[in-house]
């Protein structure tokens, strides 16, 4: 079975990778300085010019970019090529402020799809597989990236997009899909829907799933693996740096290999911007080393993680990142306490509850309210109000131990929380904190 998509690069020595990254960085800084006035002005403000960047270590001299810069430069302010050289755009959902629009030359598309192909092969994919892509298509990068990667590998590719669960299951069973690509919340939903139709995990032909675009815990991974009878792999990316495929898991499932020949990763203190040593927990910063149309240097992802260069049994030498442990910009601050939704999910799944939950925050009489609605399974349902109240109190106790703050728990009947066929809406914050 094929183990690597591009073995020479994926198993390159540290010295080879550093040499490659240094050469690409020097070239990319010159390209950005010459072609992107917005970033050129940032460099001048920091009194740095392309001649100051001679090796990888010099990257620390460059200014950061953040999402506000992308919005300020919307739509063409960070374009690194003539528009006629671009063949595609992708875009974020635009849930806050202006959309972030990323541009791609044909070379950019090819490199992106190669990164996704590496992820598919790492999950055991080959030209004998049927790749079922249930990420959304359109402006969202998920569908396009994995679709292109599956083509590169030679898989029979099913461009299902999201939604229409009955059709998803029909094609999955009839076409004997072997690799499922979608958000983890939708994978959990598909597992639930198949169980309702009395389709056991043994009846489908799935062997692997490649899930990303939203946070998910190890507990949720095991739940999905059990419900679908697969091995579940994480994939990481963001529209600003192409899309999924920036990093991916191998069979070790112990972190995601960053495609270092295309992306240089740093970890910084999100408060000070100081670059932290390997093994430190902090904010991930990515530099696109060879993107042409939308070449971001030192982009602050706001994702909190840890990088590790420990040897991996898969043979890949590229640095690993942990699953994002939250975000430096969207963590919830409730009554002065920092709360990440992933912490709540961990407690619920460890206690045997459904991954279908919703956090609701409001502010009444100048005090934050903190409610968590959790679906019960049919086994957990009870006619006795006292039984349900005891379960709610037990969850509240566990939550307080994890978070340092106790939410009000509401156990609700199965299917009472709206199912998501895209990204799950886990948090409803009604506080109007930014008005």
């Amino acid at each position: 079975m094929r183990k690597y998509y591009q073995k020479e690069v994926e198993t390159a020595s540290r010295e080879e990778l550093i040499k490659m990254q240094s050469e690409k960085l020097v070239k990319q800084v010159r390209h950005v300085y010459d072609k992107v006035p917005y970033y050129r002005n940032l460099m001048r403000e920091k009194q740095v010019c392309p001649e100051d960047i001679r090796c990888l270590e010099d990257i620390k001299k460059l200014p950061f970019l953040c999402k506000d810069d992308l919005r300020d430069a919307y739509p063409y302010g960070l374009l690194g090529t003539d528009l006629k050289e671009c063949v595609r755009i992708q875009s974020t959902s635009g849930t806050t402020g202006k959309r972030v629009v990323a541009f791609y030359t044909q070379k950019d598309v090819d490199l992106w799809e190669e990164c996704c192909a590496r992820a598919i092969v790492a999950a055991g994919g080959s030209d004998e597989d049927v790749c079922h892509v249930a990420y959304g298509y359109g402006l969202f990068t998920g569908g396009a990236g994995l679709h292109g990667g599956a083509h590169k590998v030679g898989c029979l590719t099913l461009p299902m997009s999201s939604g229409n669960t009955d059709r998803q299951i029909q094609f999955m069973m009839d076409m004997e899909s072997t690799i499922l690509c979608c958000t983890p919340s939708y994978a959990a939903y598909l597992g639930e829907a198949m169980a309702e139709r009395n389709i056991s995990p043994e009846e489908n032909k799935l062997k692997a799933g490649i899930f990303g675009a939203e946070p998910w815990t190890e507990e949720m991974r095991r739940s999905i693996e059990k419900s679908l009878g697969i091995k579940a792999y994480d994939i990481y990316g963001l529209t600003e740096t192409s899309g999924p495929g920036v990093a991916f898991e191998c069979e070790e499932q112990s972190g995601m290999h960053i495609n270092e020949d295309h992306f240089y990763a740093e970890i910084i203190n999100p408060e000070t911007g100081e670059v932290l040593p390997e093994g430190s927990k902090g904010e991930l910063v990515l530099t696109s080393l060879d993107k042409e149309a939308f070449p971001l240097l030192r982009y602050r992802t706001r994702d909190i993680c840890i990088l590790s260069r420990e040897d991996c049994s898969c043979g890949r030498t590229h640095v690993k990142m942990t699953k994002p442990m939250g975000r430096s910009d969207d963590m919830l601050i409730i009554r002065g306490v920092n709360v990440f939704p992933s912490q709540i999910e961990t407690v619920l799944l460890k206690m045997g509850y459904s991954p279908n939950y919703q956090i609701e925050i409001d502010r009444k009489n100048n005090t934050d309210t903190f409610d968590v609605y959790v679906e019960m399974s049919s086994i957990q349902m009870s006619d006795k109000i006292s039984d349900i109240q005891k379960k709610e109190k037990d969850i509240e106790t566990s939550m307080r131990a994890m978070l340092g703050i106790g939410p009000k728990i509401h156990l609700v009947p199965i299917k009472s929380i709206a199912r998501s066929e895209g990204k799950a809406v886990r948090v409803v914050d009604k506080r109007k904190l930014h008005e």
Side-chain angles (χ1 to χ4, degrees):
M1 185 178 70
R2 188 177 184 182
K3 191 173 181 180
Y4 311 103
Y5 181 69
Q6 294 165 316
K7 182 177 180 180
E8 185 176 334
V9 175
E10 293 179 63
T11 61
S13 69
R14 174 61 29 202
E15 293 73 24
E16 289 171 322
L17 279 171
I18 290 174
K19 182 174 183 293
M20 184 190 310
Q21 289 176 319
S22 290
E23 290 173 354
K24 286 188 174 186
L25 177 66
V26 170
K27 183 178 178 181
Q28 186 73 307
V29 170
R30 170 52 70 182
H31 169 67
V32 171
Y33 190 87
D34 290 345
K35 296 291 187 178
V36 184
Y38 188 97
Y39 198 79
R40 180 167 64 244
N41 290 336
L42 292 180
M43 288 178 65
R44 286 174 174 171
E45 286 174 14
K46 203 170 180 185
Q47 297 182 325
V48 60
C49 62
E51 290 73 23
D52 296 324
I53 310 301
R54 300 185 180 92
C55 65
L56 206 53
E57 186 66 23
D58 291 333
I59 196 169
K60 295 176 184 177
K61 300 175 182 178
L62 295 170
F64 293 114
L65 276 173
C66 64
K67 188 160 281 190
D68 285 344
D69 291 306
L70 273 59
R71 293 190 179 116
D72 290 345
Y74 174 90
Y76 297 122
L78 286 166
L79 188 62
T81 60
D82 292 339
L83 193 59
K84 67 180 180 181
E85 295 177 45
C86 298
V87 298
R88 188 192 298 179
I89 68 160
Q90 304 281 168
S91 176
T92 59
S93 58
T95 51
T96 58
K98 293 178 182 176
R99 285 181 174 269
V100 171
V101 176
F103 298 84
Y104 302 73
T105 64
Q106 187 58 52
K107 180 185 174 185
D108 292 335
V109 172
D110 289 338
L111 293 181
W112 175 26
E113 291 178 349
E114 285 177 3
C115 289
C116 290
R118 293 178 190 178
I120 292 169
V121 173
S126 73
D127 57 7
E128 296 182 356
D129 281 289
V130 178
C131 193
H132 187 112
V133 184
Y135 283 109
Y137 280 65
L139 291 172
F140 176 58
T141 56
L146 272 300
H147 179 103
H151 275 210
K152 294 277 188 187
V153 174
C155 302
L156 174 61
T157 306
L158 307 186
M160 300 301 300
S161 194
S162 58
N164 199 331
T165 300
D166 285 330
R167 184 177 63 190
Q168 298 275 1
I169 294 172
Q170 179 193 341
F171 271 81
M172 186 182 295
M173 300 303 292
D174 292 350
M175 304 304 295
E176 299 187 340
S177 302
T178 55
I179 299 175
L180 173 64
C181 304
C182 61
T183 60
S185 59
Y186 193 50
Y189 180 39
L190 283 172
E192 183 181 83
M194 291 171 77
E196 288 176 354
R197 292 159 177 77
N198 296 315
I199 301 172
S200 70
E202 293 75 25
E203 290 179 78
N204 71 60
K205 298 293 184 182
L206 291 174
K207 65 179 184 181
I210 300 175
F211 308 131
E214 63 187 15
W216 54 308
T217 60
E218 287 300 313
E219 290 79 14
M220 189 170 185
R221 185 208 298 269
R222 302 306 166 208
S223 175
I224 292 170
E225 289 184 332
K226 183 177 179 182
S227 69
L228 292 174
I230 61 172
K231 190 166 182 177
Y233 296 83
D234 207 349
I235 190 169
Y236 174 82
L238 51 166
T239 301
E240 298 91 320
T241 56
S242 286
V246 169
F248 60 88
E249 276 189 323
C250 62
E251 65 261 26
E252 265 201 8
Q253 293 179 305
S254 61
M256 292 173 279
H257 291 282
I258 295 175
N259 284 308
E260 287 194 274
D261 53 322
H262 300 308
F263 305 99
Y264 181 68
E266 303 169 88
I267 294 291
I268 66 167
N269 179 322
E271 300 296 326
T272 66
E274 174 196 2
V275 178
L276 301 176
E278 181 188 330
S280 302
K281 180 179 176 181
E283 180 183 339
L284 178 66
V285 173
L286 291 172
T287 293
S288 298
L289 294 171
D290 42 22
K291 274 206 74 175
E292 295 178 330
F294 203 62
L296 302 188
L297 304 180
R298 303 198 83 195
Y299 180 67
R300 296 186 58 165
T301 69
R302 298 295 182 180
D303 286 320
I304 303 297
C305 69
I306 298 170
L307 298 182
S308 171
R309 297 194 185 280
E310 291 183 7
D311 291 344
C312 185
S313 62
C314 78
R316 291 176 179 83
T317 53
H318 294 201
V319 68
K320 279 183 177 180
M321 61 177 280
T322 61
K323 277 178 174 290
M325 301 168 175
R327 288 178 58 81
S328 63
D329 63 346
D330 70 359
M331 73 180 176
L332 305 169
I333 302 178
I334 305 169
R335 300 178 212 150
V337 177
N338 295 345
V339 174
F340 290 106
S342 58
Q343 295 172 304
I344 291 170
E345 180 172 293
T346 294
V347 171
L348 293 176
L349 289 173
K350 279 185 176 177
M351 296 182 72
Y353 288 91
S354 164
N356 295 305
Y357 66 94
Q358 194 164 72
I359 303 161
E360 185 174 294
I361 310 159
D362 207 342
R363 181 162 287 173
K364 296 177 181 177
N365 299 322
N366 296 317
T367 301
D368 291 341
T369 61
F370 181 19
D371 296 81
V372 180
Y373 296 83
V374 185
E375 280 190 3
M376 291 181 285
S377 68
S378 55
I379 298 172
Q380 293 162 334
M381 292 288 288
S382 173
D383 292 331
K384 293 184 178 180
I385 294 176
S386 59
D387 288 348
I388 293 176
Q389 288 175 335
K390 183 181 184 306
K391 290 181 175 128
E392 289 174 340
K393 185 62 74 176
D394 289 342
I395 298 173
E396 287 176 14
T397 301
S398 295
M399 290 281 188
R400 186 178 294 277
M402 166 69 84
L403 306 172
I405 185 173
K408 176 67 176 171
I409 301 297
H410 306 269
L411 287 173
V412 297
I414 193 167
K415 293 295 181 71
S416 58
I417 294 175
R419 293 298 190 269
S420 170
E421 296 180 336
K423 287 193 181 185
V425 179
R426 296 296 191 207
V427 180
V428 178
D429 193 337
K430 299 179 177 180
R431 292 178 293 182
K432 301 178 182 176
L433 299 178
H434 305 293
E435 293 186 359

